[in-house]
């Protein structure tokens, strides 16, 4: 900094008042005092303009201060940085919060067998041996989860908003002692089991750059589109989804268009790093060894509003996963977000509502390339490389049709649903030679959905390798009560691909020669009662699943599954 001021002294003419002070005394002591006065005077001149510092006409700075500044800063870095934090107005400050407590009970999670705990059998009921099998044990469980969210918002202007949302996702007893309040023991994967985090944190700018209808949201945020079949908040879970990135939106009377980029995995720099400058990569992430192991997603979603009673929503997603195939393939080619893949997604959703009638149809096609294992011996492609040797050709459709009798006392609604998502009969080719050689990866990728609202509340089925239909009845006996009865008929689209649960991991590995498609049937009974004009809700549900021939053929068990929960949810 000293050399910077020397350069300034050589090129900037001092004000007359300062020159008079410099002549006040002679000698070494006088020079030192004058230098201090000069520096103070110069800084005082700089502070007048702050960020808009101006050089007097005809003068120049030859020795530029080399420390760059980004604004706004929490603490003033130099006197000509802007002052911030002095324009707070309590009228523009707002908060929102919710708290949910939910005990759950599940009996016969694996229909009479045990559940896996790690690697390829994590969460599954058997092993990919190619033959019928089930794990030892009796998978019954009960637990209580608590979710607390606190959102803090501030409106700097009608067009500029700041928002920060804290979340505490707690499993009662998960800390293993009453004195540890935030983090529990590390998970088997080595990841932290801390409960407190940031669910959202972003700036929202409307009419960006002075363009009416153009909005920009930058930071951690929710992504909720359509029926949440591919991108949803998943607030049924105790954590839910949120995404780091930037989203733009342009709205007109004819249509709304959203385009965003999101970084889903950064392998070169950990959370909490002070800055990034080519530091070492995080271990165990395959291709991150060469600083190209990240995951990115592009979202382009449109909503056409010009057709009466109808929304038409064409969209495109681009998913680029550069994690090594050997780091994200534990459950075969159907592993959720499998490593080393490039996937393009083209789809459209149509929603129609007129009077009591409602209808929606969504159809999605996926194509691209994917690697297999990245191991020393490759099922396909050059040995020991991250070669994308598998073609992706997958599709899915979701359909609802219903009618609500608004003029009736209970306002009953009757609805039918049909879901399909493709599978691949050789999805386990990287796990066992009995399943054949690898050539395609046609299991549909479900991405980040809210599956809980689509295929039964037990969450035993995801939107991948499924052929499912259901019938749903809802009614409101009183202003504050809601009842629902839901029947779901569960089947696989491809008998040799696996059964994937709502969380998208493998529930049951299919036999290599399996021909049974019918998994079973699920019946749900749900009652909700609202208090305090909807600010507090009590909900309870009981569900029963009847086993079908697929379970008997691939697990060798016949026991049915039951599930129940009750929850209190407070919102304000």
């Amino acid at each position: 900094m000293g050399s910077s001021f020397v350069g300034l002294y050589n090129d900037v003419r001092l004000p007359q008042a300062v020159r008079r002070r410099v002549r006040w005394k002679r000698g070494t002591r006088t020079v030192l005092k004058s230098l201090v006065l000069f520096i103070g005077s110069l800084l005082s001149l700089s502070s007048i303009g702050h960020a808009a510092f101006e050089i007097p006409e005809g003068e120049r700075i030859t020795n530029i201060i080399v420390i760059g500044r980004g604004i706004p800063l929490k603490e003033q870095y130099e006197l000509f940085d802007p002052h911030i934090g002095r324009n707070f107005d309590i009228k523009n400050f707002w908060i929102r919060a919710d708290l949910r407590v939910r005990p759950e009970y599940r009996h016969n999670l694996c229909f009479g067998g045990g559940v896996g705990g790690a690697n390829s059998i994590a969460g599954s009921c058997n092993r990919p041996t190619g033959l019928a099998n089930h794990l030892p044990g009796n998978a019954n469980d009960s637990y209580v989860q608590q979710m607390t969210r606190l959102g803090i918002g501030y409106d700097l202007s009608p067009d500029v908003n700041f928002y920060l949302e804290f979340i505490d996702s707690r499993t009662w007893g998960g800390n293993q002692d009453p004195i540890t309040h935030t983090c529990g023991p590390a998970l088997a994967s080595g990841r932290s089991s801390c409960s407190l985090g940031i669910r959202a944190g972003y700036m929202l700018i409307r009419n960006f750059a002075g363009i009416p209808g153009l909005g920009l949201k930058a930071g951690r945020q929710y992504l909720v589109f359509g029926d949440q079949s591919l991108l949803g908040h998943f607030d049924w879970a105790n954590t839910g989804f949120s995404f780091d990135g930037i989203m733009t939106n342009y709205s007109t009377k004819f249509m709304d268009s959203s385009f965003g980029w999101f970084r889903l995995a950064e392998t070169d720099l950990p959370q909490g790093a002070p800055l990034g400058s080519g530091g070492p990569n995080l271990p165990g992430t395959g291709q991150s060894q060469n600083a190209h192991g990240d995951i990115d997603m592009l979202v382009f979603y449109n909503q056409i509003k010009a057709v009466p009673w109808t929304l038409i929503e064409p969209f495109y997603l681009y998913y680029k996963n550069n994690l090594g195939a050997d780091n994200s393939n534990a459950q075969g080619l159907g592993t959720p977000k499998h490593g080393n893949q490039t996937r393009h997604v083209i789809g459209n959703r149509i929603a129609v509502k007129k009077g009591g009638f409602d209808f929606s149809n969504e159809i999605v096609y996926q194509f691209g390339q994917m690697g297999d294992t990245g191991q020393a011996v490759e099922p396909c492609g050059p040995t020991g490389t991250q070669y994308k040797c598998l073609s992706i050709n997958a599709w899915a459709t979701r359909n609802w049709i219903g009618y609500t009798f608004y003029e009736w006392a209970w306002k009953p609604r009757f609805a039918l649903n049909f879901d399909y998502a493709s599978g691949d009969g050789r999805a386990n080719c990287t796990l066992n030679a009995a399943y054949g050689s690898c050539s395609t990866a046609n299991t549909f990728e479900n991405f980040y959905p809210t599956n809980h609202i689509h295929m039964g509340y037990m969450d035993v089925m995801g939107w991948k390798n499924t052929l499912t239909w259901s019938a749903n009845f809802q009614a409101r006996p009183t202003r504050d009560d809601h009842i629902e009865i839901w029947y779901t008929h569960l089947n696989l689209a491809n008998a040799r691909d696996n059964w994937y649960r709502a969380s998208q991991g493998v529930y049951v590995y299919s036999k290599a020669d399996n021909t049974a498609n019918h998994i079973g049937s699920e019946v749900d009974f749900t009652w909700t009662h609202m208090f305090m004009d909807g600010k507090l809700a009590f909900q309870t549900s009981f569900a029963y699943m009847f086993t079908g021939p697929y379970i008997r053929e691939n697990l060798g068990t016949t026991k049915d599954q039951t599930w129940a929960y009750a929850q209190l949810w407070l919102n304000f």
Side-chain angles (χ1 to χ4, degrees):
M1 293 296 289
S3 61
S4 299
F5 284 118
V6 170
L8 289 171
Y9 182 83
N10 290 334
D11 292 275
V12 178
R13 181 179 299 172
L14 294 178
Q16 184 176 2
V18 177
R19 293 201 303 270
R20 284 198 299 266
R21 292 193 190 101
V22 172
R23 292 194 298 268
W24 179 50
K25 288 186 179 180
R26 303 292 180 182
T28 304
R29 183 178 179 184
T30 303
V31 172
L32 292 175
K33 286 185 177 181
S34 299
L35 182 61
V36 171
L37 286 172
F38 158 68
I39 294 173
S41 178
L42 182 62
L43 291 178
S44 66
L45 286 173
S46 301
S47 64
I48 295 174
H50 299 295
F53 177 75
E54 296 181 359
I55 304 299
E57 184 178 357
E59 298 177 353
R60 58 193 178 88
I61 295 178
T62 57
N63 192 353
I64 300 174
I65 298 175
V66 297
I67 299 178
R69 293 168 297 280
I71 59 173
L73 301 174
K74 180 62 179 174
E75 300 296 337
Q76 185 172 292
Y77 196 88
E78 295 285 355
L79 291 180
F80 42 81
D81 282 336
H83 292 287
I84 65 171
R86 297 187 178 184
N87 299 317
F88 179 80
D89 188 339
I90 191 65
K91 293 184 297 183
N92 298 331
F93 175 79
W94 50 274
I95 65 171
R96 63 178 299 269
D98 63 330
L99 190 150
R100 182 180 67 197
V101 175
R102 183 173 68 218
E104 293 185 48
Y105 170 77
R106 197 178 291 263
H107 183 68
N108 284 328
L109 172 66
C110 283
F111 310 96
V115 62
N119 300 322
S120 63
I121 60 172
S124 65
C125 298
N126 64 348
R127 300 177 185 276
T129 64
L131 304 173
N133 71 98
H134 64 268
L135 300 175
N138 190 8
N140 302 325
D141 198 10
S142 62
Y143 49 86
V144 181
Q145 288 191 306
Q146 175 178 323
M147 180 186 71
T148 307
R149 286 185 294 189
L150 174 64
I152 302 173
Y154 187 81
D155 298 323
L156 281 76
S157 75
D159 287 338
V160 181
N161 168 256
F162 162 86
Y163 184 69
L164 181 66
E165 183 176 296
F166 299 93
I167 183 171
D168 181 71
S169 173
R170 187 162 301 278
T171 300
W172 286 9
N175 295 345
Q176 297 191 2
D177 63 65
I179 200 171
T180 304
H181 302 298
T182 303
C183 296
L187 304 176
S189 63
R191 295 180 179 177
S192 168
S193 62
C194 297
S195 62
L196 185 64
I198 302 295
R199 178 73 184 275
Y202 59 79
M203 65 178 79
L204 173 62
I205 306 172
R206 304 174 185 88
N207 301 315
F208 183 68
I211 303 175
L214 178 62
L216 182 146
K217 183 187 290 185
R220 176 164 295 186
Q221 55 193 276
Y222 292 70
L223 285 182
V224 181
F225 289 107
D227 286 331
Q228 304 187 49
S229 298
L230 295 174
L231 296 173
H233 52 63
F234 195 28
D235 274 349
W236 165 258
N238 219 39
T239 53
F241 295 128
S242 55
F243 303 84
D244 298 328
I246 185 168
M247 174 69 78
T248 61
N249 176 270
Y250 185 68
S251 179
T252 67
K253 292 182 179 180
F254 174 75
M255 68 181 295
D256 296 338
S257 294
S258 298
F259 179 76
W261 165 75
F262 299 90
R263 173 58 54 86
L264 304 181
E266 172 58 65
T267 58
D268 304 329
L269 200 67
Q271 294 286 10
L275 49 82
S277 57
N281 296 327
L282 301 180
T285 50
Q287 292 192 97
S288 68
Q289 306 278 327
N290 59 20
H292 293 289
D294 304 329
I295 304 178
D296 294 288
M297 180 173 69
L298 300 179
V299 178
F300 182 46
Y301 203 96
N302 304 276
Q303 186 177 84
I304 300 172
K305 304 175 289 185
V307 182
W309 317 300
T310 304
L311 292 176
I312 302 173
E313 300 177 346
F315 60 87
Y316 169 77
L317 307 180
Y318 173 79
Y319 180 76
K320 177 70 169 176
N321 187 327
N322 283 329
L323 296 179
D326 53 331
N327 298 117
S328 184
N329 70 345
Q331 295 187 327
L333 300 182
T335 302
K337 325 303 182 299
H338 191 286
N340 192 25
Q341 66 164 295
T342 301
R343 188 178 296 256
H344 304 269
V345 182
I346 299 174
N348 185 70
R349 173 180 175 266
I350 299 176
V352 180
K353 184 171 179 59
K354 180 171 174 56
F357 172 78
D358 63 87
F359 166 78
S360 67
N361 163 264
E362 187 166 0
I363 187 165
V364 184
Y365 175 63
Q366 300 177 348
F367 62 96
Q369 301 82 35
M370 188 168 77
D372 42 26
T373 65
Q375 301 292 336
V377 178
E378 292 281 354
C380 69
T383 300
T385 67
Q386 297 292 341
Y387 182 72
K388 294 184 177 68
C389 56
L390 307 175
S391 63
I392 298 172
N393 184 19
W395 76 283
T397 182
R398 168 156 288 152
N399 305 271
W400 279 97
I401 185 170
Y403 192 88
T404 304
F405 295 87
Y406 289 106
E407 67 277 10
W408 293 13
W410 285 22
K411 297 179 175 57
R413 179 180 186 270
F414 299 89
L416 296 175
N417 158 257
F418 172 74
D419 285 330
Y420 174 87
S422 63
D424 192 316
R426 288 180 284 192
N428 297 325
C429 62
T430 60
L431 303 176
N432 194 310
Y435 292 95
S437 60
C438 301
S439 61
T440 58
N442 296 335
T443 302
F444 187 78
E445 176 60 64
N446 204 178
F447 284 105
Y448 303 95
T450 303
N451 282 330
H452 183 73
I453 61 178
H454 287 294
M455 290 174 287
Y457 289 139
M458 294 181 79
D459 289 333
V460 297
M461 179 64 77
W463 202 28
K464 53 193 296 187
N465 191 35
T466 184
L467 192 158
T468 299
W469 64 267
S470 64
N472 184 277
F473 168 78
Q474 301 180 40
R476 302 185 68 90
T478 72
R479 173 177 170 272
D480 296 320
D481 290 283
H482 180 272
I483 60 174
E484 182 176 6
I485 302 173
W486 194 357
Y487 171 81
T488 307
H489 194 76
L490 303 165
N491 304 275
L492 297 184
N494 188 312
R496 294 187 62 187
D497 199 347
N498 305 311
W499 173 15
Y500 301 93
R501 60 172 63 192
S503 59
Q504 305 175 50
V506 174
Y507 201 174
V508 175
Y509 287 101
S510 298
K511 297 189 303 181
D513 59 351
N514 176 57
T515 58
N517 290 83
H518 180 47
I519 296 171
S521 300
E522 175 185 337
V523 183
D524 305 316
F525 304 89
T526 305
W527 170 56
T528 305
H529 182 74
M530 312 294 290
F531 302 88
M532 302 171 57
D533 294 325
K535 297 182 180 66
L536 176 65
F538 171 79
Q539 185 177 80
T540 184
S541 185
F542 174 80
Y544 194 92
M545 181 175 174
F546 301 89
T547 58
Y550 174 84
I551 294 174
R552 294 191 291 270
E553 288 294 322
N554 290 272
L555 289 180
T557 58
T558 59
K559 292 185 178 180
D560 298 336
Q561 182 181 145
T562 55
W563 174 70
Y565 75 89
Q567 72 177 17
L568 274 174
W569 200 338
L570 175 66
N571 298 269
F572 66 89

